[in-house]
Amino acid sequence: QVQLVESGGGLVQPGGSLRLSCAASGSIFSFSAMGWYRQAPGKERELVASFSNSRAEYAEYANSVKGRFTISRDNAKNTVYLQMNSLKPEDTAVYYCNARQAVTSNYYWGQGTQVTVSS
């Protein structure tokens, strides 16, 4: 059973930074793609950043976070990160890690971690 465990959320002032972590239960090479999504109250879940393992050097970002957020990974730790800089109140949401398993094409989600940007 695939498990994704997020951590690193919290309360931060506007302009501040946070780094989210997503630890996978197995090798991240077993996934064809991984990414971060977020869902704000009353809004639909949206893609924040993602990469495919076949082209890990090319990450995709939502326009709203380009230049501020960076997705990266540590293969040895089976962990994917989301570095968030210059945070804005509109970045407030629950952030979810997502992974697509290569063999089955099944999608898996973490439990989410709350990010609140407020003064």
Side-chain angles (χ1 to χ4, degrees), residues 4-74:
L4 303 172
V5 180
E6 301 103 332
S7 61
L11 173 64
V12 63
Q13 292 187 342
S17 298
L18 282 175
R19 189 178 78 158
L20 306 183
S21 299
C22 171
S25 57
S27 171
I28 60 175
F29 289 111
S30 68
F31 304 117
S32 55
M34 298 189 73
W36 288 93
Y37 288 71
R38 67 185 180 187
Q39 187 166 20
K43 295 188 177 181
E44 293 186 353
R45 192 172 296 189
E46 63 174 356
L47 175 67
V48 176
S50 68
F51 65 84
S52 67
N53 272 333
S54 62
R55 300 184 72 192
E57 68 274 22
Y58 296 111
E60 295 186 5
Y61 296 92
N63 287 333
S64 58
V65 306
K66 281 182 181 177
R68 301 188 297 121
F69 291 12
T70 303
I71 188 171
S72 63
R73 68 185 195 181
D74 186 327

Side-chain angles (χ1 to χ4, degrees), residues 73-84:
R73 68 185 195 181
D74 186 327
N75 297 334
K77 295 183 178 180
N78 295 318
T79 300
V80 175
Y81 303 99
L82 184 67
Q83 178 67 44
M84 305 185 295

